[in-house]
């Protein structure tokens, strides 16, 4: 009887499993219920994939516990109209879709912690509204014919891209942008321009999906999604779901900029701390500050991309004695990168920016700790803070030409050369406090750490070695301290594409360079 009962139960279980609906591949763990608004108004070109995009988001909502409202009525963009929604999806909107009052309401919504998702032509929207351009990250410029291309997935842990392979081949209409957003956004995926015909849309470094924190809110954008077939792709659907969940605050993610500096970090979003807690405060970005700060208290923020930063700025408020913020590397007692005094700002709702210069900042990413000193208790609150690096610019050499990365390629070993200045990203360089010269997210490098005359100078992953250190001399040379030799234009040539290399310093015109400010 026991054996027969077990057999019956096994058969019943197998039947139940066979009849159960298949799990939605794009479903995520259950979140607290929230509402999403999909906005699809168009003022110029209208994509025929918009209805498919809307239905996809509805399906994602049904499978993942959020409610979806859909509108093309811009009058919903008021403080009251937007208040029920955790995030707003701009589904291939185009042109001028909001009036001045509606724009102001949406700005307030974002600054109060609201979310924004932009799909495809959302970047072809509101060109005369600077806040929107900063929120989406970049404006549309052009596109070639629809075609297959290889997508390089740069962040394999973000909730919108963690499921993707490092190289993802797909068919779409591949947007190029009026500017490269890398320095202000966290790039999740970019295009391999060698894998398709970019034509006039070639950017070299070509981000296509990214996220960012913006003035208290969260933003996520993808240039994909032109075709109806995109929305049938489980991988694309799951990527879109991750963007919605991130901007709705259902899941956290690292959306600090990829190109140097951390962007704005909400101080109350610390990983660990001692003696501190968030405080709800009117006028604070995201509605909260980091408060109850007493002498000896501290907080930590993991894995911030601080490499190249020279300045720390914080938004603070104090109706008390004030005090000092110390920026430390690695631990509450780690090396001090900088200190900044916080005064009494005139009350607990009177916000003020304070800043300081930094020294000995680690390259790449670091665990940053803020420690607090002063006299008494409740010294001040910190609303948000940011690390920043010098703005990139051209490096001028022989005949007024620019130091250039061949083909704007980011492959390790790409030759660096002299070329006519064109304002492109392959000619934008930043010098870090540690002496690196960076372009396209990589470093000017002496091949193999060589010291012989004629050694190739190339682009390579930044690694803090002596092969990537460059010191300007009073004569205008760029000297590599490890070898004691200089950055040199081969044979004093001025033809576009002339290689630069390592050579004994001798004071010639082909070894003199003008660095970016």
């Amino acid at each position: 009887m026991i054996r027969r009962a077990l057999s019956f139960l096994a058969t019943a279980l197998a039947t139940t499993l066979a009849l159960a609906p298949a799990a939605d591949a794009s479903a995520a763990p259950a979140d607290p219920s929230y509402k999403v608004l999909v906005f699809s108004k168009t003022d110029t070109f209208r994509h025929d994939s918009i209805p498919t995009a809307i239905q996809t988001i509805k399906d994602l909502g049904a499978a993942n516990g959020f409610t979806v409202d859909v509108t093309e009525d811009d009058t919903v963009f008021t403080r009251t109209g937007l208040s029920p929604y955790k995030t707003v999806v701009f589904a291939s909107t185009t042109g001028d879709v909001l009036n001045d009052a509606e724009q102001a309401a949406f700005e307030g919504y974002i600054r109060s912690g609201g979310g924004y998702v932009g799909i495809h032509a959302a970047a072809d929207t509101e060109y005369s509204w600077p806040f929107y351009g900063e929120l989406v990250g970049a404006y549309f410029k052009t596109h070639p014919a629809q075609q297959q291309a290889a997508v390089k997935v740069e962040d394999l842990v973000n909730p919108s891209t963690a499921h993707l392979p490092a190289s993802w081949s797909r068919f779409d209409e591949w947007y190029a942008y009026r500017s490269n957003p890398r320095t202000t956004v966290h790039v999740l995926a970019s295009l391999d321009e060698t894998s398709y015909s970019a034509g006039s849309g070639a950017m070299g470094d070509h981000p296509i999906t990214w996220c960012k924190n913006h003035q208290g809110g969260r933003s996520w954008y993808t240039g994909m999604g032109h075709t109806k077939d995109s929305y049938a792709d489980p991988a694309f659907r799951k990527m879109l779901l991750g963007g919605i969940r991130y901007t709705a605050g259902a899941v956290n993610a690292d959306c600090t900029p990829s190109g140097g500096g951390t962007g704005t970090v909400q101080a109350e979003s610390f990983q660990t701390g001692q003696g501190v807690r968030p405080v709800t405060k009117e006028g604070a970005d995201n509605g909260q500050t980091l408060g109850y700060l007493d002498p000896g208290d501290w907080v930590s923020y993991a894995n911030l991309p601080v490499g190249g930063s020279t300045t720390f700025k914080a938004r603070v408020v104090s109706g008390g004695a004030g005090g000092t913020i110390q920026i430390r590397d690695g631990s509450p007692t780690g090396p001090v990168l900088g200190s900044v005094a916080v005064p009494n700002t005139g009350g607990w709702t009177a916000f003020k920016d304070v800043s300081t210069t930094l020294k000995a900042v680690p390259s790449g990413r670091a665990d940053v700790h803020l420690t607090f000193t002063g006299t008494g208790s409740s010294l001040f609150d910190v609303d948000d803070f940011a690390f920043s690096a010098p703005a990139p610019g051209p490096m001028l050499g022989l005949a007024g030409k620019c130091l250039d990365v061949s083909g704007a390629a980011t492959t390790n070993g790409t030759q660096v050369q002299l070329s006519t200045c064109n304002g492109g990203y392959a000619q934008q360089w930043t010098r870090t406090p540690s002496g690196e010269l960076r372009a396209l997210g990589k470093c000017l490098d002496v091949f193999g750490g060589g010291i012989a005359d004629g050694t190739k100078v190339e682009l390579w992953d930044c690694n803090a070695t002596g092969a990537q250190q460059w010191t300007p001399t009073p004569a205008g040379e760029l000297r590599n301290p490890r070898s004691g030799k200089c950055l040199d234009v081969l044979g004093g040539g001025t033809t576009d594409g002339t290689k630069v290399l390592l050579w004994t310093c001798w004071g010639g015109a082909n070894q003199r360079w003008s660095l970016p400010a």
Side-chain angles (χ1 to χ4, degrees):
M1 287 293 292
I2 293 174
R3 189 172 298 171
R4 182 182 298 175
L6 289 174
S7 176
F8 172 79
L9 287 172
T11 301
L13 179 59
T15 302
T16 301
L17 290 173
L19 294 175
D24 184 347
S26 59
D31 297 324
S33 180
Y34 57 90
K35 295 185 74 173
V36 171
L37 178 65
V38 179
F39 182 56
S40 55
K41 181 180 178 181
T42 54
D43 182 53
T44 53
F45 184 83
R46 186 169 184 86
H47 286 72
D48 64 3
S49 61
I50 288 175
T52 309
I54 290 171
Q55 187 58 52
T56 296
I57 297 169
K58 287 182 175 180
D59 293 344
L60 292 174
N64 294 278
F66 59 85
T67 303
V68 178
D69 290 340
V70 179
T71 189
E72 294 195 356
D73 181 3
D74 51 286
T75 62
V76 75
F77 282 77
T78 66
R79 180 176 180 179
T80 301
L82 294 172
S83 62
Y85 302 105
K86 287 293 188 181
T87 192
V88 180
V89 181
F90 279 51
S92 283
T93 52
T94 57
D96 189 0
V97 292
L98 300 178
N99 65 31
D100 290 349
E102 293 161 353
Q103 291 175 4
F106 190 57
E107 290 184 21
Y109 166 80
I110 294 295
R111 292 186 175 116
S112 298
Y116 164 87
V117 170
I119 300 174
H120 194 56
D124 190 21
T125 304
E126 294 289 357
Y127 288 93
S128 60
W129 180 16
F131 177 90
Y132 183 83
E134 295 171 2
L135 178 68
V136 68
Y139 284 121
F140 164 75
K141 178 182 178 183
T142 188
H143 64 77
Q146 299 171 37
Q147 57 193 293
Q148 200 81 14
V151 177
K152 298 180 291 185
V153 180
E154 299 189 20
D155 188 331
L156 295 171
V157 298
N158 186 280
S160 65
T161 50
H163 64 290
L164 296 173
S167 181
W168 180 27
S169 181
R170 65 185 313 275
F171 183 92
D172 215 315
E173 180 180 79
W174 301 111
Y175 273 12
Y177 303 94
R178 295 185 179 186
S179 60
N180 188 319
R182 185 175 290 276
T183 58
T184 60
V185 306
H186 183 85
V187 177
L188 301 171
S190 57
L191 294 177
D192 178 357
E193 289 188 344
T194 67
S195 69
Y196 73 108
S197 299
S200 62
M203 293 175 60
D205 176 32
H206 197 142
I208 197 65
T209 301
W210 56 77
C211 61
K212 67 183 298 187
N213 304 314
H214 188 66
Q215 297 191 20
R218 299 182 179 202
S219 170
W220 185 94
Y221 169 82
T222 183
M224 305 179 213
H226 173 86
T227 66
K228 295 178 182 178
D229 288 345
S230 292
Y231 300 91
D233 178 0
F236 179 83
R237 291 166 65 95
K238 193 167 184 178
M239 183 181 75
L240 181 56
L241 174 63
I244 292 170
R245 295 183 70 221
Y246 162 69
T247 59
V251 64
N252 289 320
D254 176 9
C255 285
T256 53
S258 303
T262 63
T264 300
V265 178
Q266 297 301 312
E268 69 275 9
S269 65
F270 60 92
Q271 273 68 46
T272 58
Q274 173 179 290
V276 303
R277 65 178 187 261
V279 176
T280 300
K281 190 178 294 291
E282 182 180 355
D285 290 340
N286 217 27
Q288 290 187 315
T289 60
L290 177 71
Y292 293 90
L293 308 183
D294 296 335
D297 288 348
W298 57 269
V299 286
S300 72
Y301 304 87
N303 204 32
L304 296 184
V306 297
S309 298
T310 57
T311 303
F312 172 89
K313 181 175 76 171
R315 187 172 189 248
V316 298
V317 61
S318 178
T324 300
I325 303 172
Q326 296 175 324
I327 305 97
R328 294 179 179 267
D329 175 26
S331 78
T333 58
V336 176
L337 308 179
S339 298
V340 60
V342 177
N344 181 305
T345 61
W348 287 108
T349 58
F351 289 89
K352 178 182 176 67
D353 287 341
V354 295
S355 63
T356 187
T357 56
L358 301 171
K359 62 180 181 180
V361 177
S363 61
R365 293 174 175 266
D367 293 341
V368 172
H369 289 67
L370 303 184
T371 58
F372 309 108
T373 65
T375 302
S377 61
S378 295
L379 304 173
F380 51 86
D381 287 8
V382 182
D383 186 14
D384 57 41
F385 64 88
F387 291 83
S388 61
M395 280 181 55
L396 300 179
L398 195 63
K401 294 197 172 184
C402 280
L403 189 66
D404 177 275
V405 179
S406 178
T410 57
T411 306
N412 282 344
T414 298
Q415 177 70 54
V416 179
Q417 60 189 16
L418 199 70
S419 192
T420 299
C421 298
N422 56 29
Y425 287 93
Q427 297 179 356
Q428 300 295 305
W429 297 87
T430 302
R431 186 167 187 270
T432 72
S434 61
E436 300 163 326
L437 283 163
R438 298 189 175 199
L440 302 175
K442 296 198 173 185
C443 279
L444 189 69
D445 178 275
V446 178
F447 174 72
I451 60 173
D453 283 354
T455 300
K456 177 184 178 183
V457 174
E458 61 191 0
L459 204 67
W460 199 271
D461 289 334
C462 299
N463 54 33
T465 65
Q468 298 181 352
Q469 305 301 305
W470 301 93
T471 302
T473 72
E477 303 158 321
L478 269 177
R479 191 183 298 263
N480 172 241
R482 184 180 185 280
S483 63
K485 295 189 174 180
C486 283
L487 186 67
D488 181 284
V489 179
L490 176 64
T494 59
T495 304
D496 283 359
T498 301
K499 297 176 181 179
V500 298
L501 39 76
L502 198 70
W503 202 268
T504 300
C505 301
W506 63 280
N510 60 329
Q511 293 186 348
R512 290 199 291 270
W513 302 90
S514 175
L515 297 179

